[in-house]
Amino acid sequence: MVRIDSGTNSSRLLVLAVVISTIGALYFARGVLIPFALAGFLSFVLSPLVWRLERWRVPRAVAVVLVVTFAGSIVMLIGYAMAGQVFQLTQQLPQYKENLREKVEGVRSTTGGTFSRITNSIGELARELSHTSKQVQDANLSESAAPASGSDAQNSPRENAPVPVKVVEAPMNFVGVLQGSAAALLGSLGTLGVVVVLTVFMLLEREGLRNRVIALAGEGQLHVATQTIDEATNLVSRYLRMQLIINVTYGIAVGLGLWAIGLPNAALWGFLGAVLRFLPYVGPWVAALMPLSVSLAVSHGWTTVLLVAALFVVLELITNNVLEPWLYGSSTGVSPLGIITSAFFWTWLWGPIGLILATPLTVCLTVASRHVPQLRFVHILLSDEPALPTEARVYQRLLAVDQDEAQRVIDDYLAQHDLDQLYEAALLPALAQAERDHADGVLDDARRRFMLEFVEDLIDDIGSRTDGAAVGSPAANADVDESDATASKPRVLVAPAHSPGDIVAGTMLTQRLHARGIAVASASVDTLASEIVELVAVEQIALVALVAVSPISELHAKYLTKRLRRRFPYLKVIIGLWHGRGDGEYTQSRLKSAGADHVVTHFVEMLNLAERLVEHAPPVPTGSTVQAEAV
């Protein structure tokens, strides 16, 4: 019977209610919140300049005024220059009508009259519909105008028929147009003034604002709040700086490229290209559309159009595949899908301003969700970190019998980590999870067998590719090829404790010890405890490594350790306990009381320990000495 935790459900409902309330507040209070968000955006951009001036012993108030004045002057100069470019373009556009007409005629001739036939068909259909509508209207008017006779005239419903009324708006005069434009301009200037004032005060009081936010989080959350604010500030500042560098570089390249092609007003298109790239995904296409449209108008042929299109394609490829990965790196912490989703969300919420602020706001939200447990779902949905750890992804794909996807996950991990880390962080935990699920009755025998065979084949394949030597079957007991190991060193015996999963884990250990130049013999789970004892005596083993990834393997490892300790007091015994269940300290103390020298829970730790023990192991006693010690 499934038990439902009412406390957990109540907590989730509370979080959902808070999220919905927050979204509603952001939407209905956007008129107040947008200026604050824009001011925060500008303060992130300008604060490094203010900080630099303060390092040069300039008072903060003076530094803020200088930086804001400098930024405003730059914006005004650029705006003035661009206004001149726009005015020049509007004066030149009427001269290019003939070029557009030539291109339309060229398209008609290229399509072999298809374009003309389609146009004529649409025109004829429109005229036919208009003629039919006029006939129906004339018939209705003639019926309504016909006189009625006798009593029919008195009771005719046409007399009471509604008269069609057409609402005609009065043409707006010059005064109305001027009033509407003035109101829109004054509203924009008022918002701009509020943003500038807020930016100045945010730059002046940045430490005070930070402390107030920390105080709102509470003294008990001082560490979390400080870490969240610092991380979000660093990420957003770095992202905005890198974006500014990339966009300015992109705009300069666009302007120079269009100037070299010969397109008029190249500086205007370069500036628009730099500005519009602040709009994620949409901006570059809009920036390319306008120069392409102008190239259609100003050129007599198609060469200029194709060159302009090629310029934007090449610049986008270089920017997206070279500059952005190089400069951005992992600076945002937001996945590409998260950026696209946030762009849609903030655009719906705040319009074009929301699209500009989408990435910085999402970065702050993702950082906060990393430290606030109630917002963990946001971190899972938007963060660029994997939602599942590597071992969980491998195990989940194997549960779905999708070995191709599991192989891709392993290859991606192996591209950034070595083989020892792959075994410890991915394959061994997946094996342990499979053994636990099988012991609990959750995993059937067929899927368990499939997983073990997949991992065993993977070990053999990866080992042969990385080390140049394949590891044989784990059931090969003591038949070991020692050509790649140092025969003069004491030998190690790797013995799986009980389950098939222990066999595969033992194969991993045997392979990696071979790679370190250690001569290794391996036993199988079918080997009896008495046979392992005899094998240690015959092969003069100095170190026995027992491997246990199944929960029920611990008892077998304990029993075998007792048998080995009674017979060989000198023998070093290490137990690799990798099932990940139970009280670690209590389990280790039990196994050590049975005679184990070391109990380790990490694969790399066991490799290092085995290598060190073999290197410093004393000479193995002869058979007679062993018997004497046993007596």
Side-chain angles (χ1 to χ4, degrees), residues 67-365:
V67 168
V68 173
T69 304
F70 174 75
S73 301
I74 294 295
V75 171
M76 292 178 64
L77 288 175
I78 294 176
Y80 177 77
M82 293 305 106
Q85 292 281 316
V86 171
F87 179 77
Q88 182 182 356
L89 178 64
T90 56
Q91 297 295 321
Q92 294 175 349
L93 281 179
Q95 305 173 10
Y96 305 133
K97 291 182 179 179
E98 188 62 30
N99 294 336
L100 289 174
R101 188 177 295 109
E102 291 179 1
K103 287 184 172 57
V104 172
E105 293 296 333
V107 171
R108 286 180 178 177
S109 61
T110 303
T111 55
T114 303
F115 182 76
S116 300
R117 287 194 297 270
I118 294 175
T119 304
N120 294 334
S121 300
I122 293 175
E124 291 176 1
L125 181 61
R127 286 192 296 271
E128 183 67 24
L129 292 174
S130 177
H131 180 68
T132 304
S133 176
K134 185 176 180 181
Q135 289 180 344
V136 173
Q137 185 177 4
D138 292 341
N140 292 335
L141 290 176
S142 61
E143 291 179 4
S144 63
S149 60
S151 60
D152 293 338
Q154 297 177 357
N155 300 324
S156 174
R158 293 190 183 94
E159 296 180 358
N160 299 325
V163 179
V165 178
K166 183 178 181 181
V167 179
V168 179
E169 295 183 0
M172 185 174 291
N173 55 18
F174 176 75
V175 177
V177 174
L178 185 62
Q179 288 178 347
S181 302
L185 180 62
L186 290 176
S188 300
L189 290 177
T191 303
L192 179 61
V194 172
V195 170
V196 172
V197 172
L198 288 174
T199 303
V200 170
F201 279 97
M202 285 184 178
L203 291 173
L204 289 173
E205 301 290 336
R206 59 178 184 268
E207 287 87 359
L209 290 174
R210 180 198 62 199
N211 295 337
R212 293 179 188 278
V213 173
I214 294 175
L216 287 175
E219 295 183 1
Q221 302 295 326
L222 185 63
H223 174 73
V224 173
T226 303
Q227 187 176 0
T228 301
I229 291 175
D230 290 344
E231 187 176 349
T233 302
N234 293 332
L235 285 177
V236 173
S237 297
R238 186 176 185 277
Y239 168 76
L240 293 178
R241 289 197 301 270
M242 294 302 103
Q243 190 180 38
L244 182 62
I245 293 172
I246 290 174
N247 292 357
V248 170
T249 304
Y250 179 86
I252 293 173
V254 168
L256 292 177
L258 294 178
W259 173 78
I261 292 172
L263 197 71
N265 306 105
L268 173 63
W269 311 127
F271 171 75
L272 291 178
V275 171
L276 290 174
R277 271 195 67 86
F278 282 98
L279 302 177
Y281 301 102
V282 179
W285 297 104
V286 177
L289 182 61
M290 291 183 288
L292 282 173
S293 302
V294 173
S295 66
L296 286 171
V298 303
S299 61
H300 293 281
W302 294 94
T303 304
T304 303
V305 179
L306 294 177
L307 288 176
V308 171
L311 173 67
F312 278 95
V313 169
V314 171
L315 288 179
E316 280 298 313
L317 290 175
I318 295 175
T319 304
N320 294 332
N321 298 297
V322 179
L323 288 180
E324 289 184 351
W326 175 42
L327 294 177
Y328 284 162
S330 57
S331 59
T332 62
V334 184
S335 66
L337 180 60
I339 292 177
I340 295 175
T341 304
S342 66
F344 281 113
F345 173 77
W346 288 106
T347 303
W348 166 76
L349 205 62
W350 286 356
I353 299 298
L355 183 60
I356 296 174
L357 300 176
T359 301
L361 291 173
T362 306
V363 169
C364 295
L365 183 60

Side-chain angles (χ1 to χ4, degrees), residues 488-500:
S488 60
K489 288 186 177 181
R491 301 188 59 184
V492 176
L493 175 64
V494 175
H498 176 69
S499 70

Side-chain angles (χ1 to χ4, degrees), residues 11 32 69 124 148 258 368 381 398 487 576 585 624:
S11 177
V32 177
T69 304
E124 291 176 1
L258 294 178
L381 294 176
L398 292 179
E585 294 183 0
S624 59

Side-chain angles (χ1 to χ4, degrees), residues 500-516:
D502 301 338
I503 298 177
V504 181
T507 304
M508 296 182 193
L509 184 61
T510 301
Q511 180 196 76
R512 300 315 299 157
L513 290 174
H514 267 294
R516 298 192 179 202

